[in-house]
Amino acid sequence: QLQLVESGGGLVQPGGSLRLSCAASGRTLDLYAIGWFRQAPGKGREGVLCISNSGGIANYADSVKGRFTISRDNAKNTVYLQMNSLKPEDTAVYYCAANLFVCGPSYNHWGQGTQVTVSS
């Protein structure tokens, strides 16, 4: 059974950067697409970025274009979300999720989430 664990969240000032990690266990990650999602307080879950098993990238949120990037290191069984120029509206719980091969439309495995708070 594939298990995902997010890490790297925390409190950061506006304009700062964070790198989130999504580490997999139970199975190797190389067959899976990994998507990053977020949910802000009082709002629904929003897709952010996804990377397919072959490295293709899908951008789900126009608001993060030019600021967030996604990458994967199959040797480390980990996918990363690099977040730069963070804004208060990026505050949310960030989740990673896995689907075989392609990005979406549904994801079968989810992590527990990591909190990102952007505040001065």
Side-chain angles (χ1 to χ4, degrees):
Q1 181 75 5
L2 179 66
Q3 294 183 324
L4 304 173
V5 177
E6 303 93 337
S7 62
L11 174 64
V12 62
Q13 292 186 343
S17 297
L18 282 175
R19 188 178 77 160
L20 304 184
S21 298
C22 174
S25 63
R27 293 184 180 176
T28 57
L29 211 50
D30 54 348
L31 294 181
Y32 290 89
I34 300 295
W36 281 99
F37 298 81
R38 64 186 181 183
Q39 187 164 18
K43 295 187 177 181
R45 188 170 62 201
E46 174 189 32
V48 180
L49 284 165
C50 176
I51 186 166
S52 72
N53 75 311
S54 60
I57 292 172
N59 191 323
Y60 293 143
D62 288 342
S63 61
V64 307
K65 283 183 179 178
R67 301 189 298 123
F68 290 13
T69 57
I70 189 170
S71 62
R72 64 190 301 151
D73 186 339
N74 288 340
K76 294 184 177 180
N77 237 24
T78 301
V79 170
Y80 304 99
L81 182 68
Q82 178 67 44
M83 306 187 296
N84 299 327
S85 302
L86 282 161
K87 304 176 181 180
E89 51 264 42
D90 295 318
T91 295
V93 178
Y94 283 72
Y95 301 88
C96 64
N99 186 50
L100 275 174
F101 307 124
V102 299
C103 292
S106 62
Y107 292 83
N108 298 318
H109 308 276
W110 291 81
Q112 83 290 346
T114 185
Q115 176 71 47
V116 172
T117 302
V118 185
S119 175
S120 55

